[in-house]
Amino acid sequence: MIREALEKFLYVLFPRRCDLCGDVVELDKSRCNECTNSVRIFGDICDRCGHTKSDCKCKKNADKMEYKSVCAPFYFDGNIVKAVHRFKFYGFNELSVGMGKEIALTVKERYNDVSFDLVTYVPMTNKRQKKRGYNQSLLLARSVSEEMNIPCVKCLVKIRDTDSQRSQSAKNRKLNVFGAYDIANDVDFTDKTILIVDDVKTTGNTLNECAKMLKGYKAKAVYAASFAIAKQNVN
């Protein structure tokens, strides 16, 4: 009785929050109904785009992808959009724990026959990271690393600022990130199988550019994972 009263008192002062979007939830829940009911990606999945085969439009795109496969637990839709925006733009960096767990579960399911040597992430320039205060992809990679017991290693650096990919057309997104990444100093991942993590995969150009650098410096294979994947346009 006393413990229950104490829990309710603490709930008022420090309310329990959804581990994905940060909304206040009831004491006996870790996730809000909206996030619980968010659209998941499951079934027969396209390695190239990460969509279910019924949603895949990769036949319209002949560009070579440098990563072997990409996966994510959710589509970038509904409450997942709010979750990502809070995490990425509003300082809810504690959400990386729940998001990382979801990514790790998906990676274990989709890549169950792959033995990863390390986890890495999409880097930011020092200027942009200082402005934001953190790199959301790094936080996710650390969470995935802990869940999968795989080292998280800084493999890449971003050598120039790019315009936001969100503001670019599909064609310009490829040009926007071309040559934006390089290999970090004092790192050797020769013949390593690498998992690269990001928050949202849209066209895949950012992940592809990063994977190209990793493979160019003798990585054995690169797989990609994100928390969410943007749905493709119908046209």
Side-chain angles (χ1 to χ4, degrees):
M1 192 76 176
I2 295 176
R3 180 179 178 181
E4 184 178 329
L6 179 59
E7 286 180 346
K8 290 182 178 179
F9 175 71
L10 291 174
Y11 179 67
V12 173
L13 294 179
F14 309 102
R16 182 185 290 269
R17 293 186 177 274
C18 173
D19 65 342
L20 296 186
C21 74
D23 277 354
V24 175
V25 296
E26 296 176 16
L27 276 174
D28 59 343
K29 294 184 178 180
S30 62
R31 191 164 296 179
C32 69
N33 292 333
E34 288 78 7
C35 284
T36 299
N37 296 324
S38 292
V39 178
R40 289 182 174 271
I41 303 173
F42 64 92
D44 197 7
I45 309 296
C46 172
D47 288 327
R48 177 192 176 91
C49 68
H51 291 70
T52 59
K53 290 289 182 69
S54 60
D55 294 331
C56 172
K57 298 175 178 62
C58 287
K59 289 182 180 179
K60 297 181 180 181
N61 191 339
D63 292 342
K64 178 184 177 182
M65 304 309 286
E66 300 290 345
Y67 53 77
K68 292 183 71 69
S69 182
V70 62
C71 68
F74 297 103
Y75 280 120
F76 189 59
D77 194 25
N79 222 52
I80 296 301
V81 175
K82 179 173 73 174
V84 170
H85 284 180
R86 283 180 170 178
F87 172 51
K88 190 171 183 177
F89 302 117
Y90 296 101
F92 284 56
N93 50 15
E94 70 275 7
L95 300 180
S96 64
V97 177
M99 291 180 176
K101 287 180 179 179
E102 287 287 354
I103 295 172
L105 286 171
T106 302
V107 167
K108 290 175 183 178
E109 179 181 349
R110 291 279 292 129
Y111 306 146
N112 60 2
D113 59 343
V114 179
S115 179
F116 291 105
D117 295 297
L118 60 93
V119 178
T120 193
Y121 53 92
V122 175
M124 301 171 71
T125 60
N126 291 335
K127 178 181 176 182
R128 187 156 294 181
Q129 184 166 332
K130 184 176 181 180
K131 182 178 180 181
R132 180 169 295 174
Y134 57 95
N135 178 349
Q136 72 280 354
S137 298
L138 169 57
L139 295 182
L140 289 175
R142 284 175 175 169
S143 180
V144 171
S145 170
E146 291 180 6
E147 288 295 317
M148 298 186 66
N149 196 27
I150 303 170
C152 180
V153 179
K154 179 180 180 180
C155 293
L156 299 165
V157 293
K158 194 169 186 181
I159 56 178
R160 65 174 176 85
D161 276 321
T162 55
D163 295 329
S164 170
Q165 288 288 76
R166 294 181 302 153
S167 64
Q168 305 294 312
S169 66
K171 181 179 180 180
N172 287 342
R173 282 175 174 170
K174 185 175 182 179
L175 295 173
N176 189 41
V177 297
F178 180 77
Y181 303 96
D182 201 355
I183 300 303
N185 292 330
D186 302 321
V187 60
D188 182 11
F189 43 77
T190 302
D191 293 330
K192 303 295 185 184
T193 299
I194 300 172
L195 175 67
I196 185 167
V197 173
D198 202 5
D199 55 346
V200 179
K201 179 262 178 187
T202 308
T203 59
N205 287 313
T206 297
L207 289 168
N208 198 53
E209 190 68 19
C210 290
K212 181 170 68 175
M213 292 303 301
L214 295 170
K215 288 180 64 179
Y217 282 81
K218 305 298 178 64
K220 181 179 179 181
V222 180
Y223 292 78
S226 63
F227 174 65
I229 288 179
K231 289 187 174 181
Q232 297 175 344
N233 293 328
V234 176
N235 295 328

